């Protein structure tokens, strides 16, 4: 048994009717009139106990439940688990959209729903069977977060519980969901936040974020020139499904041709719109990206617009001559001075999105790229991502520790991109399970690695060359403090104006703080919360 829910007003068992009462023996124990066949015991439903009946469940809900199970049992990411499940089971169209929203939405809002469920059961949640708790979360999301009729949300989830967890668990799920359904979302939010000691904790509970993440986000907002009052809007944006954004890789396919492929080669009601900031970005609606020829062949890919924007800005900053040029100089200032821009390095290249965009840009400019990745399986993903790039634009894909490149190849590159491993707090809307996996203890480990990678990149770039430091996290410890710590030990590096570089790509209308580094935000820019710092090794 998985526990009991105590719900006021539950119907009592017993109280059968006899032939001397109205309806005679055609009324059941609750006084409801039965058909003649069922009154004689000839109805099919009375021939087997509820636990023995055929367990037919909705395929979309089954898939969503399986995603939650896989995410919990193997630390998988939902965005990698769900698509193949949908394909294997032949779930398409509206059913696929329903399964996607049910799985992702339940993962995003797990904290909110756990707070609600905890007020509807008679024991701590860690004493509720994990499978049953996932079923309750799925039901709660249908009731409070989706446009699903109340009776359907309850009955379908109870049916899923009967099929996947047994009849006893199904009764428990039924009782809890019926209690949840008696109040609106707004009423529940008031209940679960009533005892919050401060506004940040209240927002963390109602917007389904761990409190430590909510506090870190508030600090990052203030530390990058925005108001602390943005926190509510930011956390809400984290709970909004991101748009599917394609990248049209320069020299391989234009954005206009990519849009044409969607219009002419993809069935259904697929539509596209240009991205807001990156000239390579195309927003896709109503289609599976894998159905687009340019995506299948590698000329285009799926990539967040913020990721595209910081990559384009990094590639747009000019290098300086190898020797003799002062700050702000150009190759033309020194006749005969060498100013190569021919060899680029992506230091942490997996899984390959930024590497493919960089390689396509390198191909257009007559440069070539080395893609380094420490994990062999991710290096293979990089190779796949680079498949459509002209061979002369890719020097090699190598497996190696990025922290060693600066020692092994000092001054060997004109540009080095450090897309550093990080907490991923800037992509919580895209990877909803990340917020429940990360802990404050991860910060110390990751920032040590980030400092070592950035130091290696600065050693690997030649004097006059450019280093881009990128994270998909706005956490100040992973962004400003890493850069500050690394630069404190060096006198051969200058900080460049990353905001100017981003405006050069996106236009002057993009809202950026008055800083040299750049922090993008989901609630402001509609992108992941990407950070960019640009540095130059002094010539």
């Amino acid at each position: 048994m998985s526990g009991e829910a105590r719900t006021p007003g539950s119907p009592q068992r017993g109280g059968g009717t006899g032939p001397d009462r109205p309806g005679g023996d055609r009324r059941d124990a609750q006084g409801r009139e039965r058909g003649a066949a069922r009154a004689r015991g000839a109805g099919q439903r009375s021939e087997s106990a509820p636990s023995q009946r055929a367990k037919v469940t909705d395929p979309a809900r089954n898939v969503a439940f399986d995603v939650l199970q896989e995410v919990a049992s193997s630390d998988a990411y939902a965005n990698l688990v769900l698509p193949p499940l949908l394909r294997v089971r032949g779930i398409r169209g509206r059913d696929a959209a329903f399964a996607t929203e049910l799985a992702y939405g339940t993962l995003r809002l797990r904290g909110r729903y756990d707070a609600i469920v905890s007020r509807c059961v008679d024991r701590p949640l860690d004493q509720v069977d994990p499978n049953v708790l996932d079923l309750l979360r799925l039901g709660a999301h249908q009731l409070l977060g989706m446009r699903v009729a109340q009776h359907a949300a309850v009955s379908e989830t109870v049916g899923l519980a009967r099929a996947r967890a047994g009849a006893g668990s199904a009764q428990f799920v039924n009782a809890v969901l019926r209690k949840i359904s008696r109040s609106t979302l707004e009423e529940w939010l008031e209940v679960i936040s009533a005892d919050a000691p401060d506004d940040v904790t209240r927002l963390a509970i109602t917007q389904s974020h761990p409190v430590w993440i909510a506090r870190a986000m508030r600090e990052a907002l203030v530390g990058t020139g925005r108001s602390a009052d943005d926190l509510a809007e930011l956390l809400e944006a984290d709970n909004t499904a991101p748009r599917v954004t394609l990248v049209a890789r320069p020299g391989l396919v234009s954005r206009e041709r990519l849009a044409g492929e969607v219009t002419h080669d993809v069935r259904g009601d697929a539509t596209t719109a240009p991205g807001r900031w990156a000239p390579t970005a195309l927003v896709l609606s109503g289609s599976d990206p894998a159905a687009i020829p340019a995506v299948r062949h590698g000329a285009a890919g799926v990539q967040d617009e913020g990721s595209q924007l910081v990559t384009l800005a990094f590639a747009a900053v000019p290098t300086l001559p190898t020797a003799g040029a002062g700050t702000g100089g150009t190759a033309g200032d020194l006749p005969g001075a060498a100013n190569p821009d021919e060899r680029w390095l992506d230091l942490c290249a997996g899984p390959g999105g930024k590497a493919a965009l960089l390689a396509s840009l390198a191909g257009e400019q007559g440069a070539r790229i080395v893609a380094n990745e420490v994990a062999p399986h991710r290096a293979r993903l990089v190779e796949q991502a680079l498949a459509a790039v002209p061979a002369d634009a890719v020097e090699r894909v190598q497996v190696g520790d990025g922290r060693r490149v600066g020692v092994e190849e000092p001054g060997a590159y004109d540009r080095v991109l450090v897309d550093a491993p990080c907490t991923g707090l800037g992509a919580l809307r895209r990877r909803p399970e990340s917020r429940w996996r990360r802990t404050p203890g991860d910060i110390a480990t990751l920032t040590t690695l980030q400092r070592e990678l950035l130091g290696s990149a600065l050693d690997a770039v030649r004097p006059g060359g450019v280093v881009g430091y990128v994270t998909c996290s706005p956490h100040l410890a992973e962004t400003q403090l890493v850069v500050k710590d690394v630069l404190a030990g060096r006198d051969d590096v200058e900080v460049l104006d990353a905001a100017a570089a981003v405006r050069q790509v996106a236009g002057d209308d993009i809202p950026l703080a008055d800083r040299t580094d750049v922090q993008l935000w989901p609630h402001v820019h509609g992108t992941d919360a990407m950070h960019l710092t640009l540095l130059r090794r002094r010539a």
Side-chain angles (χ1 to χ4, degrees):
M1 295 290 290
S2 54
E4 297 180 0
R6 300 174 183 246
T7 56
S10 298
Q12 299 297 312
R13 293 183 181 273
T17 59
D20 58 330
R21 297 182 62 180
D25 60 1
R26 288 185 60 182
R27 290 190 178 274
D28 62 16
Q30 282 74 39
R32 296 173 298 205
E33 189 168 354
R34 300 175 295 177
R38 291 190 62 198
R40 295 193 303 271
Q44 290 183 348
R45 291 184 62 188
S46 63
E47 293 177 355
S48 60
S51 61
Q52 297 171 325
R53 292 175 192 151
K55 298 177 179 179
V56 179
T57 57
D58 172 50
R61 289 178 172 86
N62 251 309
V63 164
F65 180 69
D66 287 337
V67 169
L68 266 60
Q69 296 288 285
E70 188 69 19
V71 166
S73 65
S74 62
D75 282 345
Y77 286 107
N79 65 329
L80 300 179
V81 172
L82 180 59
L85 275 179
L86 294 175
R87 286 194 295 270
V88 168
R89 299 185 189 183
I91 299 174
R92 302 180 180 87
R94 291 185 177 181
D95 286 342
F98 181 89
T100 300
E101 168 53 29
L102 182 54
Y104 287 8
T106 300
L107 287 168
R108 287 189 189 98
L109 297 172
R110 193 185 89 176
R112 174 189 292 176
Y113 296 142
D114 283 0
I116 292 171
V117 169
S118 70
R119 286 161 172 78
C120 299
V121 298
D122 61 354
R123 65 201 61 214
L125 292 190
D126 60 6
Q127 295 180 22
V128 177
D129 181 89
N131 292 343
V132 174
L133 186 54
D134 275 343
L135 289 162
L136 291 172
R137 292 163 175 159
L138 288 170
H141 188 54
Q142 293 171 69
L143 287 168
L144 303 176
M146 298 177 70
R147 296 178 180 178
V148 178
Q150 187 177 109
H151 71 276
V154 175
S155 64
E156 290 289 347
T157 307
V158 170
L160 182 62
R162 183 179 295 112
R164 305 298 294 271
S169 294
Q171 293 174 357
F172 175 66
V173 168
N174 181 60
V176 175
L177 292 185
R178 289 191 182 280
K179 187 168 185 180
I180 291 173
S181 70
R182 291 175 189 152
S183 300
T184 65
L185 174 61
E186 290 70 23
E187 291 168 338
W188 275 119
L189 293 180
E190 289 185 12
V191 169
I192 64 177
S193 63
D195 298 329
D198 53 62
D199 285 344
V200 175
T201 303
R202 177 182 58 81
L203 285 171
I205 295 169
T206 57
Q207 293 298 334
S208 194
H209 285 65
V211 175
W212 77 270
I213 290 181
R215 295 194 186 285
M217 292 295 192
R218 185 183 184 278
E219 292 172 0
L221 286 165
V222 174
T224 56
R226 300 202 63 85
S227 170
D229 294 338
D230 276 18
L231 182 61
E233 194 176 353
L234 170 59
L235 299 185
E236 185 176 0
D238 275 349
N239 292 330
T240 302
R243 305 174 301 174
V244 175
T245 305
L246 304 177
V247 55
R249 291 166 180 156
L252 304 182
V253 66
S254 68
R255 185 163 65 176
E256 293 70 27
R257 179 167 179 175
L258 181 58
E261 285 194 7
V262 174
T263 302
H264 296 104
D265 297 336
V266 179
R267 295 181 180 179
D269 56 353
T271 61
T272 61
R276 291 174 65 188
W277 314 116
T280 51
L282 190 71
V283 179
L284 176 67
S285 300
S287 178
D288 178 3
I292 302 169
V295 174
R296 290 200 307 269
H297 301 147
V302 177
Q303 187 175 6
D304 176 73
E305 187 170 12
S307 175
Q308 297 181 47
L309 184 55
V310 296
T311 305
L312 294 170
F314 161 72
V317 178
T319 60
L320 291 183
T322 303
T327 300
T330 66
D333 296 331
L334 296 169
N339 186 29
D341 191 11
E342 302 168 348
R343 198 163 186 251
W344 301 359
L345 171 65
D346 188 344
L347 192 65
C348 312
K354 293 183 182 69
L357 179 53
L358 272 181
S360 66
L361 293 168
E364 284 196 318
Q365 299 178 30
R368 62 193 188 281
I369 186 172
V370 173
N372 180 83
E373 170 55 43
V374 68
H377 72 281
R378 287 169 63 88
R380 289 191 290 271
L381 295 176
V382 176
E383 290 174 344
Q384 295 171 14
L386 295 174
V389 177
D392 57 1
V394 180
E395 182 174 323
R396 66 179 182 272
V397 176
Q398 66 185 27
V399 176
D401 187 339
R403 295 172 294 183
R404 297 290 305 163
V405 173
V407 173
E408 296 168 353
E409 297 184 88
Y413 295 95
D414 303 303
R415 295 180 187 272
V416 181
L417 178 67
V418 187
D419 184 16
C422 65
T423 56
L425 299 184
L428 296 183
R429 59 192 189 135
R430 195 175 307 282
R431 288 189 167 175
E433 61 285 305
S434 291
R435 69 186 77 182
W436 312 119
R437 291 181 180 168
R438 289 299 186 186
T439 69
D442 294 331
I443 300 294
T445 301
L446 285 166
T447 53
T448 297
L449 174 61
Q450 290 157 1
R451 288 192 293 269
E452 291 171 344
L453 288 168
L454 180 54
S456 177
L458 290 168
D459 289 336
V461 77
R462 67 165 177 82
V466 176
V467 170
Y469 177 72
V470 172
T471 65
C472 189
S473 170
H475 199 298
L476 294 180
E478 299 187 87
T479 56
Q480 295 178 26
L481 295 183
V482 165
V483 175
K484 181 180 179 181
D485 287 349
V486 172
L487 296 191
R490 308 185 68 116
D491 59 3
D492 61 341
V493 180
E494 62 177 314
V495 179
L496 302 180
D497 191 345
V502 168
R503 288 192 179 96
Q504 181 181 343
V505 174
D508 292 337
D509 291 338
I510 186 169
L512 299 175
D514 186 18
R515 300 179 52 85
T516 54
D517 59 4
V518 168
Q519 181 61 59
L520 303 177
W521 296 103
H523 68 296
V524 177
H525 305 98
T527 69
D528 290 346
M530 305 295 299
H531 170 88
L532 173 66
T533 294
L534 292 175
L535 305 169
R536 179 181 284 130
R537 183 96 173 266
R538 284 198 175 95

